[in-house]
Amino acid sequence: MQIYEELVARGLIAQVTDEKEIRELINNGKATFYIGFDPTADSLHVGHFMALCLMKRLQEAGNRPIALIGGGTGMIGDPSGRTDMRQMMTKETIQHNCDCFKKQMSRFIDFSEGKALMVNNADWLLDLNYVELLRDVGPHFSVNRMLTAECYKQRMERGLSFLEFNYMIMQSYDFYALYQKYGCNMQFGGDDPWSNMLGGTELIRRKLGKDAYAMTITLLLNSEGKKMGKTQSGAVWLDPNKTSPFDFYQYWRNVADADVLKCLRMLTFLPLEQIDEMDKWEGSQLNQAKEILAYELTALVHGEEEAKKAQEGARALFSSGSAEHMPTAELTADDFTDGAIDIVSLLHKAGLATSRSEARRAVEQGGVAVDGEKITDPKAVLAQEKFDGEGVVVKKGKKNFRKVTAK
């Protein structure tokens, strides 16, 4: 099976503009393609995972990826799927986030000479002359057509700023600039910005004529990919300082039964034949499939050693309650009042709840235990000495644990 056919078989391709040409370029290793990343945080999260895995697959087949960091468009903000205007970021913050991205991407993509590029669209967007841009690009965009795009329709009732209205033009210009600078002949993206992507393809063809070779592909599960990056307790990051390898492993270990085979196909590099065999698995065998998924993805992001430690820790925890390899949290003297801490503060400070209200709800709903003892009173307190030595194991829900100690 060639690479394009494998992408289809893994459920990664939703729609394309020129399937015959795209298949030929990809299968022959002649695609120079880009995927955009919005630098709104200093770490990628699991919502980016599908794009990273796709780039790795295509590079291994001889194609050249370009990771486009939206340092320029990030100063405008993509209105897709949003109900309010995005906060502005400074150039310094954007550059810091770009540096963090490249470090994380390097686990997936080989950036050595000629094999891949990371570029920042601030390099061309911030130097554009507004009047020249209007005259050069403006005639190729219909306002009536732009307003029919889903990314704008979602915002029209609440209000769409003129700043955000320019986002489609900026993203389209990206493809045009990448085509001219680096011979980029293909762009990948999710379902949400399909209209923006088509704008880039059309801009190249209108400005450079019929001979211009530019195509687009969208990924099947962009909206689900975004959901992958969020859990009830916040984002699942690729940075181990934000999401520990154990928590990362547990996130994938806890995917729904209906999603495990889909995630194995899209995100792991296991042979399709092996995954197809798992289609026959039922009951407890699905838990084995989830372990395989969690291990493979943790190894991709954090390495084999961390994946083994996370798997061993998870197995030990659920078989005997052992706290080895469990994520830890350390309280300081300032966290205690009169030699004690209340359960709501404990959950919040241990990172098991993003807010006190979330922590309180978890206690009231009976989902919290300390050293195996359920706590249902949000006013319950624990003495400081309880956290000395080995500390305590705090549990929220069925599968979220922390070993909490005190300095």
Side-chain angles (χ1 to χ4, degrees), residues 12 46-54 219 221-222 225 266-267:
L12 287 166
V46 298
H48 298 111
F49 213 90
M50 187 163 55
L52 295 173
C53 292
L54 177 72
L219 307 185
L221 293 169
N222 181 68
M266 291 190 305
L267 304 177

Side-chain angles (χ1 to χ4, degrees), residues 365-384:
Q365 292 168 3
V368 174
V370 175
D371 282 343
E373 181 181 346
K374 182 177 288 189
I375 296 180
T376 57
D377 182 2
K379 296 181 181 179
V381 295
L382 290 88
Q384 185 170 353

Side-chain angles (χ1 to χ4, degrees), residues 331-347:
L331 302 177
T332 67
D334 293 338
D335 294 324
F336 296 92
T337 302
D338 297 328
I341 186 171
D342 65 272
I343 187 63
V344 171
S345 296
L346 175 59
L347 289 170

Side-chain angles (χ1 to χ4, degrees), residues 99 123 127 147 186 246 264 296 306 318 327 373 405:
D99 294 340
D123 293 344
D127 292 333
L147 290 174
M186 197 175 298
F246 180 91
L264 280 164
E296 291 293 325
E306 290 295 338
F318 295 119
E373 181 181 346
T405 58

Side-chain angles (χ1 to χ4, degrees), residues 76-86 88 142-169 195-196:
I76 297 175
D78 182 358
S80 298
R82 299 181 60 84
T83 58
D84 56 1
M85 188 169 166
R86 173 175 295 162
M88 296 289 187
S142 161
V143 171
N144 289 352
R145 185 173 178 184
M146 290 172 70
L147 290 174
T148 65
E150 198 62 36
C151 61
Y152 292 141
K153 287 166 61 178
Q154 294 171 359
R155 287 290 308 281
M156 289 299 290
E157 292 184 8
R158 291 179 176 266
L160 177 72
S161 73
F162 182 70
L163 178 71
E164 295 169 293
F165 186 67
N166 279 268
Y167 189 86
M168 180 185 291
I169 296 174
S195 54
N196 295 351

Side-chain angles (χ1 to χ4, degrees), residues 383-394:
Q384 185 170 353
E385 57 263 25
K386 194 173 181 67
F387 298 88
D388 294 339
E390 291 297 318
V392 300
V393 174
V394 183

Side-chain angles (χ1 to χ4, degrees), residues 5 18 38 46 84 86 112 117 200 227 229 261 299 318 390:
E5 286 68 29
D18 307 82
D38 199 355
V46 298
D84 56 1
R86 173 175 295 162
S112 60
L117 294 170
K227 292 175 187 175
L261 271 297
F318 295 119
E390 291 297 318

